[in-house]
Amino acid sequence: MNPNKALWEKGDFTRIAATMRASGDALMQRIGVTKGMKVLDLGCGDGTTALPAAKLGADVLGIDIAQNLVEAGNKRAADAGLTNIKFQEGDAANLAGLPDKSFDLVVSVFGAMFAPKPFDVAREMVRVTKPGGRIMMGNWIPNDPTLVAQILKISSAYTPPPPEGFVSPMTWGIENNVIERFTAAGVSVDKISFVRDTFIFNYSGTPSAFVDEFRKYYGPTMNAFEAAEKSGRAANLQKELEELFNAQNKSADPNRTSIPATFLRVSVSV
Ligand SMILES: C[S@@+](CC[C@H](N)C(=O)[O-])C[C@H]1O[C@@H](n2cnc3c(N)ncnc32)[C@H](O)[C@@H]1O
């Protein structure tokens, strides 16, 4: 089994995605998705950005490596009565079934960054984008002080080191790496731009209960807890994460959690 696929089919990412919907909606409006646009969403999960793009009238294909998330996305689309969107299984590093120059906009929000082989990912994104079209990636930033980078940083102290040659997904949050990957795919450097943007996680429960959602349902955190349990350090990991979530929570309501997280928004003109 492909370990990348196994990681994301583990648990149930839809539980975390459910806390990210408002920011997904706002982002698709902000980047100018319009009616009739052909949009590809890579690493789409259950459609946090793909569904709003379809609601704005775009013709959307969502691709994700996790079969359970593809099923969940197709169900959400059917429940919303949308006929201009389809989810299917696939790997962002190899879009063999998709013709060259077929999308106006390729979107990947915290998705393709998790695919191994980042140079292949950039090449495939560029290949399937129409001339005059664009690519928009949302990537978490290594060592950023906000939520997701800190979860991954804390968790990494409890997990065994990755295999040799492993390229961290977080390198997609470093501008020079992004430039290197897209220029290798034939894009000139002046066509690549960056802004810092924010996603807000909204959970209807306490910050500690939100940590439990990650512990039970988010593959990377589940793996960190499994490793921490083996070394007898699970309680320390729980404590560190609870401190983090409590410190970052901005909600005034004690029974709700609202945590903003900074990401690197990458725009590439093709
Ligand atoms: C953090 S989730 C984000 C999902 C969605 N974009 C969202 O914002 O809710 C990462 C997603 O990337 C997908 N993914 C990881 N590696 C992938 C790959 N090689 N090809 C396609 N999807 C991949 C995972 O299955 C998962 O759905």
Side-chain angles (χ1 to χ4, degrees):
M1 167 69 120
N2 171 346
N4 182 230
K5 181 173 165 69
L7 173 70
W8 291 100
E9 288 183 348
K10 192 169 181 153
D12 181 3
F13 181 73
T14 67
R15 299 286 294 233
I16 308 299
T19 71
M20 302 167 75
R21 304 297 190 212
S23 289
D25 278 10
L27 182 59
M28 290 302 99
Q29 291 181 27
R30 199 152 68 240
I31 66 165
V33 174
T34 51
K35 195 168 165 50
M37 212 178 228
K38 281 200 75 185
V39 174
L40 172 66
D41 189 334
L42 284 178
C44 56
D46 68 349
T48 292
T49 46
L51 252 76
K55 285 182 186 158
L56 289 165
D59 194 4
V60 183
L61 174 63
I63 290 201
D64 199 282
I65 202 150
Q67 193 220 337
N68 55 330
L69 298 177
V70 167
E71 268 172 28
N74 278 324
K75 179 168 185 317
R76 289 184 71 225
D79 290 349
L82 292 166
T83 53
N84 53 332
I85 179 168
K86 188 172 81 174
F87 291 79
Q88 69 187 42
E89 225 177 295
D91 186 339
N94 179 3
L95 302 172
L98 301 183
D100 295 356
K101 304 177 182 166
S102 43
F103 294 93
D104 300 296
L105 175 66
V106 175
V107 164
S108 188
V109 180
F110 325 128
M113 69 175 284
F114 290 101
K117 304 192 189 158
F119 282 88
D120 291 0
V121 168
R123 198 195 56 239
E124 283 294 74
M125 287 198 279
V126 172
R127 180 183 69 76
V128 300
T129 306
K130 289 181 190 172
R134 60 195 163 114
I135 298 165
M136 191 284 290
M137 286 185 92
N139 301 331
W140 299 120
I141 302 166
N143 297 315
D144 186 82
T146 60
L147 187 75
V148 182
Q150 289 301 314
I151 295 176
L152 298 176
K153 189 173 175 193
I154 290 170
S155 301
S156 70
Y158 291 83
T159 38
E164 192 147 331
F166 174 81
V167 182
S168 165
M170 301 300 279
T171 55
W172 273 111
I174 300 169
E175 295 183 13
N176 282 343
N177 285 326
V178 175
I179 289 171
E180 191 186 16
R181 291 163 189 175
F182 280 113
T183 52
V187 175
S188 67
V189 67
D190 57 305
K191 303 281 185 197
I192 306 167
S193 62
F194 303 96
V195 289
R196 303 261 154 163
D197 205 339
T198 303
F199 234 74
I200 299 175
F201 292 81
N202 289 311
Y203 175 69
S204 45
T206 63
S208 298
F210 196 25
V211 171
D212 287 339
E213 291 283 294
F214 276 81
R215 183 173 182 163
K216 283 195 217 138
Y217 300 113
Y218 182 64
T221 311
M222 293 167 77
N223 282 350
F225 271 103
E226 277 169 25
E229 269 153 23
K230 282 192 193 129
S231 60
R233 296 194 300 150
N236 299 46
L237 176 55
Q238 177 82 23
K239 182 168 172 284
E240 276 202 70
L241 290 177
E242 285 191 18
E243 279 168 6
L244 171 73
F245 281 52
N246 278 292
Q248 305 244 337
N249 179 27
K250 300 276 188 265
S251 174
D253 179 341
N255 294 313
R256 301 187 82 82
T257 303
S258 177
I259 304 182
T262 306
F263 67 97
L264 183 69
R265 175 146 62 87
V266 178
S267 301
V268 178
S269 303
V270 175

